[in-house]
Amino acid sequence: MRKRFHILMIALCFLYAVVVTLYICTKSETCLAIWEIYTILSAIYFLIYFRKLSKYQGFNEKEIKLITILFIGLVVSTSIAHLSSVCITRPLLRSGHNVPDYYLIGTYPSIEMFVDYIGWGLFTGLGFIFISKYIKDNKILKILFLVLGIMILMGFVGGFTPIQELWYIASFGYGVGPIIISSVLLAEKNN
């Protein structure tokens, strides 16, 4: 797998942190829209990256298809959540409509958050665990994917408890985890 894919993944994760920070600092609608669109684009890159990684690790066709389906689940669910926010919910709010909190992304409980959590928590967590299961020759990578997958699933489940902050376990898994994975792969001599 070419180094540029790993470098792009690392850059994507760092840039995501910048986009989130911009929104937190400004609270502007424009920054929120950028964050939401960037989230969709990130999910698409996760699909491309982890499919390529599956091929590079020598997974068979059935294994690659399962990984692809899981990350397509990520793309579809996060796209539904964020596009409905950008294209429907936010315009309704701007035009003065009273939109209940359970439709707003970023509020809990919310339909948009639930759909987004399914993508980033359930599909990504399962994707990482199955990648771990199928890795044969790289023990460090195998353990790394397993630990990150478990963290993501724990955060996903924790996100539905009264302690909402447990979701950040998942955020760490899919936010910082790919930086660690990409760094490990960049450090390999045969990569």
Side-chain angles (χ1 to χ4, degrees):
M1 192 166 165
R2 294 188 178 164
K3 288 185 179 188
R4 69 177 180 207
F5 289 105
H6 307 305
I7 293 167
L8 186 55
M9 178 60 86
I10 292 168
L12 178 89
C13 292
F14 279 113
L15 188 56
Y16 185 81
V18 170
V19 169
V20 171
T21 303
L22 276 174
Y23 172 70
I24 291 170
C25 292
T26 66
K27 299 289 187 198
S28 82
E29 282 291 317
T30 303
C31 286
L32 179 59
I34 291 168
W35 180 7
E36 295 201 83
I37 292 165
Y38 193 85
T39 301
I40 295 167
L41 296 175
S42 296
I44 293 168
Y45 190 70
F46 269 49
L47 168 63
I48 294 165
Y49 181 85
F50 291 114
R51 180 177 167 80
K52 284 193 168 294
L53 182 65
S54 298
K55 287 183 176 184
Y56 174 76
Q57 289 294 318
F59 295 2
N60 67 39
E61 280 302 310
K62 196 175 189 178
E63 295 164 346
I64 292 169
K65 282 181 185 175
L66 177 60
I67 299 304
T68 302
I69 288 167
L70 288 168
F71 284 98
I72 287 173
L74 163 64
V75 171
V76 169
S77 59
T78 205
S79 295
I80 289 169
H82 291 285
L83 286 175
S84 65
S85 177
V86 169
C87 298
I88 299 168
T89 310
R90 299 292 168 195
L92 284 172
L93 286 169
R94 280 193 301 277
S95 66
H97 287 83
N98 184 18
V99 179
D101 283 350
Y102 57 84
Y103 284 120
L104 300 175
I105 205 153
T107 61
Y108 182 82
S110 146
I111 295 167
E112 289 176 353
M113 286 298 286
F114 176 73
V115 174
D116 200 40
Y117 276 17
I118 287 173
W120 289 103
L122 183 63
F123 287 123
T124 304
L126 290 174
F128 278 30
I129 287 172
F130 278 102
I131 289 171
S132 170
K133 179 183 176 192
Y134 300 140
I135 291 175
K136 294 162 189 73
D137 300 329
N138 191 326
K139 192 172 184 174
I140 293 171
L141 206 56
K142 184 176 193 68
I143 292 169
L144 185 58
F145 268 105
L146 180 61
V147 169
L148 291 170
I150 291 169
M151 286 175 63
I152 294 167
L153 287 177
M154 283 175 49
F156 171 68
V157 172
F160 297 106
T161 68
I163 308 169
Q164 279 296 291
E165 292 75 19
L166 290 173
W167 171 255
Y168 294 116
I169 298 169
S171 298
F172 181 85
Y174 65 73
V176 177
I179 294 171
I180 298 167
I181 290 165
S182 297
S183 298
V184 166
L185 289 166
L186 279 171
E188 286 184 350
K189 290 181 182 177
N190 62 349
N191 199 6

